[in-house]
Amino acid sequence: MEHLRARRGTEEGALAWRFLPADGGWRRGEAQMQAGLAELVGAAAQGFKSYVDAEDPDVLVLTETKVNNAPADPALADRYPHRYWSIADKKTYSGTAILSKVEPLSVDYTLPGHPDPSSVKGRIVTLEFASYYLVGTYVVNAGTGLKTLDAKKEWNTHFEAYIRALDAKKPVIWTGDLNVAPTALDLTNPKPNWNKTPGYTEAETSSFARILNASGEEPDAPKFVDVWRKTHPALKHYTYFSYRFSCREKGIGWRLDMFVLSERLVERVKMCEIRSDIYGASDHCPVVMEVESPL
């Protein structure tokens, strides 16, 4: 669940946006934290709609929605007049959506250059606003036994080119379930999982690192920033906990949901936090980010 909220009336007409990623079922979104944490926890316990009411985000990014048709929910329609659902051809599979109070300039559901457009359906929505692109993704999982790692590599190849092409036009906010733990800090048990478990292989972490381009090894490529990691350089907090083996209770998790921003946007980030106290109909936690920027 990703949320984007804009607070109007701030100095010089700036907007404070809050995002919140969480994954699994369409009852996930991004939200702004207007209420106190205790109120949000209580709202979440009452269900998705109560939680969204408490957060009141301007934009929700939903991943792994698994819907076969765009839901006709009057409450959501009233709150979010602009709703964009990317639905997979396969029934009850994947799915990504962005719900917005603000109308974008354009909407795209494709990953340019990908040789199998049908496999992209349900995995990406890009909204263009006046001063930035918002890309919501439910990135391909490398699969049990890494059986779909080749499909993940294919996705990564084309997504790397895509996000760089967008950045050449205007800054990018990329969010959602990215299905990669970028470093050993981003999962509880890195050593036994390395190159054995989807989300933590050389191919996947290297692709993510190339997008960040933090060292500037590719001088002609833009730089992107993993915002939560930048603001929490040494912490080991997670966004995904398997339902199996009581992983959440034991604190055994992975950080798979994040915000990646064009480097030139980072100075506008006011906060980025994992809402680990929020429980709901998902094995992922919300992540909230607030960005001050003209919409």
Side-chain angles (χ1 to χ4, degrees):
M1 178 193 325
E2 287 77 40
H3 300 255
L4 169 58
R5 175 180 178 83
R7 262 191 332 213
R8 293 167 178 79
T10 54
E11 292 184 7
E12 299 178 352
L15 302 176
W17 296 8
R18 291 200 180 188
F19 300 75
L20 223 157
D23 176 279
W26 80 277
R27 294 178 299 278
R28 304 163 196 188
E30 41 176 275
Q32 177 189 22
M33 186 145 300
Q34 287 186 316
L37 181 59
E39 182 177 343
L40 285 172
V41 171
Q46 298 176 44
F48 169 74
K49 290 182 181 179
S50 295
Y51 180 56
V52 171
D53 286 344
E55 296 280 18
D56 191 25
D58 284 292
V59 178
L60 281 76
V61 180
L62 313 176
T63 59
E64 201 179 356
T65 62
K66 296 185 177 181
V67 299
N68 299 323
N69 300 285
D73 187 311
L76 282 179
D78 288 343
R79 186 180 293 270
Y80 302 107
H82 311 289
R83 303 176 302 283
Y84 308 97
W85 298 82
S86 179
I87 299 172
D89 289 336
K90 182 179 178 180
K91 298 296 184 182
T92 63
Y93 184 74
S94 67
T96 303
I98 302 181
L99 284 60
S100 178
K101 294 180 180 179
V102 179
E103 185 175 9
L105 300 178
S106 67
V107 183
D108 193 354
Y109 302 97
T110 68
L111 181 56
H114 198 288
D116 183 7
S118 66
S119 70
V120 172
K121 289 183 179 180
R123 295 203 174 273
I124 185 169
V125 180
T126 301
L127 300 189
E128 178 187 6
F129 292 96
S131 59
Y132 75 104
Y133 289 100
L134 172 62
V135 183
T137 59
Y138 174 43
V139 174
V140 176
N141 189 298
T144 302
L146 306 180
K147 63 184 179 183
T148 54
L149 182 57
D150 286 344
K152 179 71 167 288
K153 291 177 181 178
E154 186 79 60
W155 168 281
N156 286 344
T157 295
H158 297 288
F159 189 82
E160 287 176 38
Y162 179 58
I163 195 170
R164 290 176 176 181
L166 291 179
D167 180 85
K169 293 182 266 188
K170 59 182 71 175
V172 178
I173 297 173
W174 173 31
T175 189
D177 180 352
L178 309 192
N179 258 324
V180 63
T183 73
L185 289 174
D186 297 310
L187 67 164
T188 305
N189 299 307
K191 288 185 178 180
N193 284 293
W194 179 241
N195 281 327
K196 297 177 181 177
T197 305
Y200 194 54
T201 64
E202 175 69 27
E204 294 166 287
T205 58
S206 294
S207 174
F208 188 79
R210 282 194 300 272
I211 288 175
L212 298 188
N213 194 26
S215 64
E217 290 183 4
E218 298 186 52
D220 296 329
K223 291 185 177 182
F224 291 87
V225 177
D226 174 355
V227 174
W228 188 88
R229 178 53 66 204
K230 178 179 174 60
T231 55
H232 306 81
L235 291 184
K236 297 191 71 172
H237 289 180
Y238 312 117
T239 65
Y240 165 74
F241 300 89
S242 172
Y243 285 132
R244 302 176 64 193
F245 311 118
S246 303
C247 284
R248 189 158 188 177
E249 289 75 12
K250 297 174 182 177
I252 301 172
W254 297 59
R255 189 174 70 92
L256 303 177
D257 309 82
M258 59 199 80
F259 292 96
V260 177
L261 272 62
S262 295
E263 186 180 46
R264 59 195 184 278
L265 280 182
V266 173
E267 64 182 9
R268 297 177 179 177
V269 174
K270 300 304 177 183
M271 58 90 81
C272 184
E273 300 294 342
I274 296 169
R275 300 304 192 196
S276 55
D277 292 313
I278 302 300
Y279 285 70
S282 175
D283 46 9
H284 291 242
C285 302
V287 181
V288 63
M289 180 181 70
E290 182 173 297
V291 178
E292 191 172 284
S293 172
L295 193 54

